[in-house]
Amino acid sequence: MRAVIPTTAGTVLLSEAPEPEPAADEALVAVEAYSVNRGETFQLDGQLARRWAGWRPGKDVAGTVVRAAADGTGPAAGSRVVAHPPAYGWAERVAVPVHSIAALPDSIDAVTAAALPLAGITALRLLRAAGPVAGRRLLITGASGGVGHYLTELAASSGAAVTAVSATPERGAGLLDLGASAVVTSPAEARGPYDVVLESVGGDSLPAALARLAPGGLLVWFGQASRTPVTLDFFDFFKGPAQARIAHFDYTRADTAYADDLTTLVRLVAGGRLHPEIGSVRDWSRTADVIEDIRGRRVRGNAVLTVG
């Protein structure tokens, strides 16, 4: 079959790859569309390509089950699905554990569904980590990114007063439509204090966001998109966010299965309560171009590739 293969130069090419060999609890999915995440572009910088021979990217896919799991669990052959495999999804076919697959209704197309898994699951689990948000003030950095987009809409619809941080003003306007109470271009402009900060940028962003946290508040650190290390001063906590907590977040650690969270996301989209933002849809032969556009921050929202 054909698949997108990483190179040691940090890019990818469309080439031949071995057919997947599903385990007993894995279904074989014919991929119709997949999404490229910023984290995958970081991985493709060469580290994983050199370290793990045979590794291929691809964690967000939508398509049709062509072979059900041998153990009798999961969706039947012919089912339309959205899935979150651990890797290898940028291909004509991929084996996916049944606990990482959810059924798709006819009302949701494959392109829309492919934008859901990693960003949507991360957003759901971040809100659970934040605790009840109704009536609370939230500051979300990196809000115009894939995760931030979902976070803003989900938190606002749950009753939170959301201040969204978007470095690009034209992207920030759309966050108001999703329910944000205010949009600023940096945490330094935000008017706190906030009960919860959801921080994904790193660098200077985290200390600035922390300074706007209420005493005893919670900062959930879930990324470092700037790829710049964070420097914190212990004594800064006494200037406002005394007794504040900083929690590291890993979306892979949760009490719910990916399938359950995907089912929730599908239900929200089908009900008009969650709106994926898809900024680019191209044929999968253009995957290398899309990766460069994401690295250059030329894609707003999710970038989806269709497998022809």
Side-chain angles (χ1 to χ4, degrees):
M1 69 169 186
R2 292 185 301 166
V4 175
I5 309 295
T7 73
T8 55
T11 186
V12 296
L13 55 86
L14 189 58
S15 186
E16 293 295 316
E19 285 283 349
E21 298 181 4
D25 64 345
E26 293 181 330
L28 185 63
V29 176
V31 178
E32 297 172 23
Y34 59 81
S35 181
V36 177
N37 295 289
R38 182 169 297 278
E40 289 169 317
T41 69
F42 294 164
Q43 292 173 317
L44 284 167
D45 282 345
Q47 298 176 17
L48 289 185
R50 287 191 293 268
R51 190 183 307 161
W52 297 342
W55 173 84
R56 302 199 314 269
K59 297 172 72 69
D60 291 5
V61 305
T64 302
V65 175
V66 292
R67 189 192 312 162
D71 65 3
T73 60
S79 301
R80 296 183 64 247
V81 296
V82 58
H84 188 49
Y88 306 104
W90 299 358
E92 291 182 302
R93 288 170 290 281
V94 62
V96 188
V98 296
H99 58 70
S100 299
I101 302 175
L104 277 180
D106 292 338
S107 60
I108 301 179
D109 59 65
V111 169
T112 300
L116 287 174
L118 190 146
I121 291 170
T122 300
L124 278 178
R125 295 181 173 185
L126 273 166
L127 284 181
R128 294 187 190 123
V133 297
R136 306 178 80 191
R137 299 189 68 192
L138 268 65
L139 179 65
I140 300 174
T141 68
S144 58
V147 176
H149 178 97
Y150 289 132
L151 263 178
T152 298
E153 186 169 19
L154 290 171
S157 65
S158 298
V162 176
T163 295
V165 181
S166 173
T168 309
E170 57 269 25
R171 294 187 180 185
L175 297 169
L176 293 172
D177 296 333
L178 296 177
S181 302
V183 178
V184 296
T185 58
S186 74
E189 298 177 12
R191 302 181 69 177
Y194 296 95
D195 302 297
V196 178
V197 170
L198 301 174
E199 155 57 21
S200 64
V201 178
D204 295 335
S205 176
L206 193 152
L210 179 66
R212 279 138 189 88
L213 194 62
L218 172 66
L219 185 148
V220 182
W221 190 2
F222 69 98
Q224 194 162 293
S226 68
R227 308 192 78 175
T228 303
V230 171
T231 300
L232 292 176
D233 186 333
F234 174 82
F235 297 101
D236 284 343
F237 281 83
F238 297 103
K239 297 177 182 178
Q243 298 299 106
R245 294 170 292 143
I246 297 178
H248 173 261
F249 175 84
D250 178 354
Y251 93 101
T252 66
R253 306 295 179 91
D255 296 330
T256 55
Y258 291 140
D260 296 333
D261 286 339
L262 286 171
T263 299
T264 297
L265 293 167
V266 167
R267 173 174 56 80
L268 292 171
V269 173
R273 297 170 59 191
L274 187 66
H275 301 84
E277 182 182 34
I278 300 172
S280 175
V281 180
R282 290 181 246 184
D283 182 81
W284 71 322
S285 62
R286 303 286 304 282
T287 301
D289 296 333
V290 169
I291 289 169
E292 290 309 307
D293 284 346
I294 291 174
R295 286 171 172 162
R297 299 187 179 277
R298 293 185 291 273
V299 177
R300 173 176 173 173
N302 292 86
V304 178
L305 288 302
T306 56
V307 178

